[in-house]
Amino acid sequence: MSQTIPQTTVTLDHPVDFARWRSATRALVGQHVPPEDIAWHVAPSGTPDTPAPAQAAPPFRIPRETMQMAADVLQSMLPDRFTLAYHLIYAHVTGTAMPPPDLARIEDAADTVRAETAHLRHDLFTLMQRGDGQEAWHATMAATTYAPESNARFMTFQLSLAPWRLALPGRRMEWTGEKLLYGQDDAAPAPIAFGSLPPPAMPLVTDLDIPRITVLPAVALAARTCRICPMARHATQTVFGEGRSDARMMFVGEQPGDKEDRAGRPFVGPAGQLFDRALLEAGIERDDTYVTNTVKHFKFRPRGTRRIHEKAGPEEIANCAPWLAAERRIIRPHVLVMLGATAASALLGRHVTIGRERSRAITLEDGATGVVTVHPSFLLRVPDDAARAREYDRFVADLKLAASLRAPVAP
């Protein structure tokens, strides 16, 4: 019987090069190239990059669960894992069936990767808590899959972006504080991109000990991977806070809106522009503050081509609470300004009526001073010009009150 000779060769940069595998798969599946016509190779250390196929192909969509299954298989050490993962996508797009033995091997491999991911994170926490007093955290770990590579981001976030090294069977990985290095034991490690690695079998924020993260950039990067609540699956992106990590004033709103969701920055839409104007009138420089939201994703309902804002519910607020708590813990503001009832209720831990709580100083448990006021979007909804002007002036007065409560800058 004659053996099929592959017509296409794809060379990957490293053994877990998910990014190049995905790019090649998208091009080749779109052209209905069967799995047996493709040879997958990993470039030896020092070999120049070989471009993956880049032919134009009709667009197609793959369910998140199917793509994650493929990513899980790529973290196994099966010698034909790239072919199996490709066949999984090919079968979905072409409507064909995989041979049952191959499908069973995929499921077994994915189960092994998920189990090792859970053990890996437990072992990592044990090693991290033990510590060795050295500048760069390092450890040696046994592994039967490539799950450690896929969890490189997890380690980096959990260690607050500090340098680390991990020795694995036949290979090693290192984060220098600026770049990720990876290689076999018999060769010098080379830089690889976090984005080239498969998404881990468990979401990055699962098992992440957020209170142990000590720097704001690590919290922000970790939050951008969050897929805990359904909002995260529909929003364009996570909208984390921005501003000074040593800000004396912190402003907290409800959630990003349509403009913020697209831009990836808080308070940049119409309410944000009004907020900026009011800050200036109150003598506050936005660049000297920290601005964020209780909820980090845009909750909306579609109406034609528009996305209509929906109020964040208790579940979304609870899911995002660790991110807000981390921002507050790291920044340690002197004054915490709560913009609207949602933010005030979340931060004070009780139901808040704006009319009853606003325009006064509130001593908070951590020693900071809280001020409750309206959300800037409320001012945009006041229909009467005279009433809107009065409410705006009152809002500015609340901001001036907050500014007066700031502790003086040390000489």
Side-chain angles (χ1 to χ4, degrees):
M1 181 181 292
S2 61
Q3 186 175 5
T4 301
I5 300 175
Q7 303 298 308
T8 300
T9 298
V10 180
T11 303
L12 307 173
D13 287 345
H14 54 80
V16 219
D17 189 355
F18 176 74
R20 184 156 294 193
W21 171 87
R22 180 176 55 190
S23 176
T25 294
R26 184 164 292 278
L28 296 170
V29 166
Q31 300 169 57
H32 287 201
V33 177
E36 60 269 20
D37 282 359
I38 307 169
W40 302 89
H41 295 292
V42 176
S45 298
T47 301
D49 289 350
T50 301
Q55 298 97 323
F60 56 86
R61 295 182 64 85
I62 300 296
R64 185 188 300 273
E65 296 76 12
T66 303
M67 186 57 76
Q68 184 63 59
M69 176 72 81
D72 293 349
V73 172
L74 293 185
Q75 295 172 64
S76 76
M77 289 191 173
L78 292 175
D80 59 343
R81 63 187 182 278
F82 299 112
T83 299
L84 286 171
Y86 178 88
H87 201 164
L88 183 68
I89 305 303
Y90 178 84
H92 177 84
V93 173
T94 60
T96 56
M98 287 192 71
D102 286 348
L103 191 57
R105 292 178 66 219
I106 285 175
E107 292 171 348
D108 287 345
D111 286 343
T112 300
V113 167
R114 294 186 193 113
E116 183 149 290
T117 299
H119 287 301
L120 164 77
R121 293 187 177 178
H122 175 270
D123 292 346
L124 282 172
F125 274 125
T126 301
L127 291 167
M128 289 174 185
Q129 290 167 0
R130 182 182 306 162
D132 57 14
Q134 300 194 19
E135 182 177 352
W137 179 88
H138 63 86
T140 299
M141 182 172 291
T144 61
T145 72
Y146 288 110
E149 283 85 338
S150 292
N151 283 274
R153 275 196 187 95
F154 178 90
M155 288 183 280
T156 304
F157 297 156
Q158 193 61 79
L159 289 166
S160 301
L161 305 182
W164 56 263
R165 299 192 307 275
L166 186 64
L168 298 157
R171 63 203 194 276
R172 61 192 185 279
M173 189 165 44
E174 176 181 357
W175 166 249
T176 68
E178 295 181 354
K179 57 186 176 182
L180 183 65
L181 304 178
Y182 180 68
Q184 305 301 307
D185 283 346
D186 58 354
I192 64 171
F194 280 110
S196 70
L197 299 168
M202 297 165 61
L204 283 175
V205 295
T206 301
D207 292 336
L208 196 66
D209 190 352
I210 299 171
R212 285 177 61 89
I213 302 177
T214 58
V215 297
L216 205 55
V219 179
L221 289 169
R224 292 191 183 112
T225 72
C226 187
R227 292 291 184 273
I228 292 175
C229 65
M231 279 197 309
R233 304 186 189 105
H234 302 297
T236 304
Q237 58 192 312
T238 301
V239 181
F240 204 70
E242 67 175 16
R244 296 176 62 103
S245 60
D246 61 349
R248 292 182 297 156
M249 296 188 71
M250 179 174 175
F251 292 88
V252 182
E254 179 197 337
Q255 65 166 306
D258 181 77
K259 293 286 194 302
E260 289 80 6
D261 175 70
R262 299 180 192 279
R265 296 181 56 215
F267 285 84
V268 295
Q273 294 167 18
L274 187 150
F275 175 60
D276 286 345
R277 178 160 63 92
L279 285 178
L280 287 176
E281 289 191 30
I284 302 169
E285 293 288 340
R286 177 161 169 168
D287 289 345
D288 290 335
T289 71
Y290 187 85
V291 181
T292 191
N293 283 296
T294 307
V295 171
K296 310 304 184 188
H297 289 102
F298 177 37
K299 183 179 182 182
F300 64 91
R301 67 179 185 278
R303 181 184 294 172
T305 59
R306 299 175 61 203
R307 303 190 299 176
I308 307 302
H309 166 276
E310 285 196 330
K311 188 177 181 63
E315 185 176 355
E316 290 102 6
I317 293 170
N319 286 336
C320 281
W323 306 121
L324 181 58
E327 290 174 295
R328 186 176 171 186
R329 167 177 53 84
I330 294 171
I331 294 167
R332 297 179 63 85
H334 299 151
V335 180
L336 184 63
V337 182
M338 295 159 267
L339 303 170
T342 297
S345 297
L347 289 164
L348 296 177
R350 55 182 170 80
H351 177 72
V352 171
T353 301
I354 295 294
R356 187 177 303 160
E357 303 283 356
R358 76 178 295 184
S359 308
R360 65 184 181 89
I362 303 172
T363 301
L364 305 177
E365 290 182 359
D366 61 355
T369 301
V371 174
V372 174
T373 187
V374 296
H375 193 283
S377 62
F378 163 77
L379 304 176
L380 298 176
R381 298 193 298 270
V382 179
D384 178 76
D385 289 345
R388 190 183 311 117
R390 287 194 302 271
E391 288 294 341
Y392 177 79
D393 289 343
R394 191 177 179 192
F395 179 60
V396 172
D398 286 341
L399 299 185
K400 288 181 177 178
L401 168 64
S404 72
L405 298 170
R406 290 176 292 189
V409 179

